[in-house]
Amino acid sequence: MNGLFEYLDSSKTAYHAVKNAVNFLEANGFKELKECDSWRIVRGEKYYVVRDGSALVAFIAGEKSGFNIVASHADSPCFKIKYNPEIKVENYFKLSTEKYGGGIYYSFLDTPVTIAGRVVLSDGNKFECQVFTSEKTFIIPSVAIHYNRQVNEGIKINPQTDLCVLEGIGCAGGLEKELEEFAGGKKLADYDLYAVSAAIPFESGYGGKVFSSPRIDNLTSVYASLCSLVAAKPIATSVVFIADNEEVGSQTKQGAGSRFLYGVLENIARCLGEDLPSSLANSFFVSCDNAHAMHPNHPELSDPTNKTFLGGGIVIKHHAGQNYTTDGLASSVIKSIFGGAGAKYQDFFMRSDLPCGWTLGAISSSQVSVRSADIGIAQLAMHSCIETASLADYDELVKGLTAFYSRRIKCSGADSVEIE
């Protein structure tokens, strides 16, 4: 639990999440590969490669062909700080933002936020990116009920006017000065900075079974996949894929819609002397992104026969329109592996009269076409500033993914597989 809470708290943005993942992997014997270099890969050894500071692929080269892949995303809804962000209103100074992803915007009002991301430093022709977290805490203030008597009848947020960060009073250039100090004499060339929740993860309720935190979607999946990879005894090549930009569609060079993962798998197969199409036929892709738990105040929003609950185990997600990629064969395989490891699981279908969200599985399938299943843990208040989930479900996820990495799903026919 302490490791998970520390990861949730310190991984303020995708850049932080990947940097923290690198530290975790290197502490467990993984070696860095770079996309710009020629690779030499040895079976049984551990490697990782980073793209643009916010996406990562880590793997253990297996003794047999095929890939067991777990994919998750490191980004969460927040607000990007614009360039020239400072706006003066009387004696107030505020920072202009634009929305990143589909957040529950009102949940960010009147709660602590900070500014984090990466800055680009230069000493001439060389540009270096460094992860940045402000030492200050900020607020996005709401309007008092005395100015808006109808606020409890529904609130409408205007992203341009209502989501500016209060930088301070009577003192201009606070963020600029902090960035200059951070640059340490180098030129501040540019930045990718965000206003993100500064709330600290905490256990909630009685019994110690529920926890609340920013970024549960989807850093719980990221951290679980890393811990499971380290704990597993792989047969096939076991892969962690941490993608960026899922909250804005994944169609970026570091997103699930890119060729990043495919290129890494192609290099692995080449270095190990494997035929890539044959290796992919003996592969399985787990899209690991969180699911909706039945809401205690609104049970009517859940499917009447496929409710999922906090504490009910790993959620296996299904959708007729393939927003989730799980089919009958994939579901059978993943349930067999989870069941054999004693990991609890439950099935999720969306209500048929409500739209269903997308995640990494279908998007990644357009680049890496292998059998796949969509899973995650159940949570409440998805895309809120602070979300809620079950610690027991997180433990089940680590158990299930460790078992997945320790097995091999072998193609035994055009529409049949065998678990080794």
Side-chain angles (χ1 to χ4, degrees):
M1 181 184 68
N2 289 338
L4 173 63
F5 279 17
E6 181 180 353
Y7 191 77
L8 288 167
D9 182 41
S10 63
S11 299
K12 298 278 193 296
T13 69
Y15 302 110
H16 294 73
V18 167
K19 180 180 179 181
N20 291 334
V22 166
N23 292 339
F24 177 87
L25 291 166
E26 290 185 345
N28 284 279
F30 285 73
K31 304 171 186 176
E32 183 179 13
L33 299 170
K34 296 181 179 180
E35 288 189 281
C36 57
D37 294 338
S38 296
W39 293 1
R40 181 177 178 272
I41 296 171
V42 178
R43 292 189 186 275
E45 294 296 314
K46 307 173 183 179
Y47 306 92
Y48 73 89
V49 56
V50 174
R51 174 173 284 188
D52 204 44
S54 65
L56 176 148
V57 177
F59 62 93
I60 301 175
E63 296 301 323
K64 294 187 177 182
S65 67
F67 302 101
N68 285 20
I69 305 164
V70 177
S72 54
H73 65 89
D75 60 321
S76 300
C78 56
F79 309 107
K80 186 165 188 180
I81 305 294
K82 295 180 180 179
Y83 299 153
N84 306 311
E86 194 170 75
I87 301 172
K88 185 177 186 295
V89 181
E90 301 297 337
N91 69 325
Y92 296 105
F93 291 90
K94 60 182 184 177
L95 301 175
S96 182
T97 68
E98 60 178 337
K99 58 184 181 180
Y100 176 89
I104 302 176
Y105 302 135
Y106 71 78
S107 69
F108 286 83
L109 302 178
D110 306 320
T111 65
V113 298
T114 193
I115 296 170
R118 70 172 179 181
V119 297
V120 184
L121 305 179
S122 174
D123 57 5
N125 294 324
K126 183 178 179 180
F127 299 88
E128 177 187 5
C129 297
Q130 290 192 18
V131 172
F132 170 83
T133 305
S134 174
E135 296 181 357
K136 301 295 183 180
T137 304
F138 304 87
I139 206 79
I140 304 174
S142 63
V143 174
I145 193 170
H146 309 81
Y147 292 137
N148 183 6
R149 293 291 183 178
Q150 288 75 45
V151 65
N152 290 323
E153 298 171 18
I155 182 171
K156 186 175 182 179
I157 300 292
N158 183 318
Q160 180 62 49
T161 58
D162 293 323
L163 298 176
C164 293
V165 175
L166 180 60
E167 184 185 23
I169 56 173
C171 183
L175 176 60
E176 182 181 358
K177 291 174 183 176
E178 186 177 13
L179 291 173
E180 287 176 354
E181 291 178 3
F182 180 81
K186 293 185 178 180
K187 178 184 176 183
L188 178 64
D190 224 319
Y191 59 70
D192 295 294
L193 295 178
Y194 301 84
V196 302
S197 175
I200 298 172
F202 59 96
E203 292 185 40
S204 52
Y206 295 108
K209 296 180 179 179
V210 175
F211 73 103
S212 300
S213 173
R215 300 174 288 276
I216 285 176
D217 172 27
N218 186 34
L219 292 185
T220 49
S221 299
V222 170
Y223 193 64
S225 68
L226 292 168
C227 293
S228 301
L229 181 66
V230 168
K233 297 179 180 179
I235 301 172
T237 296
S238 293
V239 181
V240 162
F241 176 32
I242 304 172
D244 193 8
N245 303 133
E246 191 273 347
E247 301 294 357
V248 293
S250 295
Q251 302 301 321
T252 62
K253 65 185 179 300
Q254 60 272 12
S258 73
R259 300 281 285 179
F260 179 34
L261 176 61
Y262 183 88
V264 172
L265 301 182
E266 190 175 41
N267 270 339
I268 295 171
R270 176 182 52 80
C271 290
L272 296 180
E274 297 177 3
D275 175 68
L276 182 60
S278 298
S279 293
L280 293 177
N282 291 321
S283 299
F284 199 99
F285 185 100
V286 170
S287 171
C288 194
D289 198 356
N290 287 356
H292 302 290
M294 189 197 79
H295 198 289
N297 297 335
H298 291 281
E300 75 280 1
L301 296 176
S302 294
D303 184 78
T305 62
N306 291 280
K307 297 180 178 71
T308 52
F309 304 94
L310 299 186
I314 305 166
V315 177
I316 301 171
K317 303 189 285 185
H318 310 261
H319 187 251
Q322 287 292 285
N323 287 30
Y324 305 134
T325 59
T326 315
D327 58 22
L329 180 57
S331 179
S332 300
V333 169
I334 207 71
K335 286 178 179 178
S336 175
I337 292 173
F338 289 169
K344 291 169 59 178
Y345 59 82
Q346 51 189 329
D347 289 295
F348 173 84
F349 282 81
M350 196 72 169
R351 269 187 66 105
S352 300
D353 55 359
L354 290 178
C356 182
W358 291 80
T359 184
L360 301 167
I363 297 167
S364 296
S365 290
S366 65
Q367 303 297 332
V368 180
S369 301
V370 300
R371 292 175 187 84
S372 61
D374 277 76
I375 71 167
I377 62 172
Q379 69 169 88
L380 298 170
M382 188 178 289
H383 289 195
S384 176
C385 174
I386 297 177
E387 303 164 319
T388 296
S390 162
L391 288 166
D393 289 341
Y394 172 78
D395 291 339
E396 296 298 313
L397 181 61
V398 173
K399 186 190 301 182
L401 292 181
T402 302
F404 168 73
Y405 277 136
S406 301
R407 307 298 295 271
R408 179 175 181 243
I409 295 90
K410 179 182 177 183
C411 174
S412 58
D415 58 354
S416 60
V417 297
E418 179 182 347
I419 302 174
E420 292 184 358

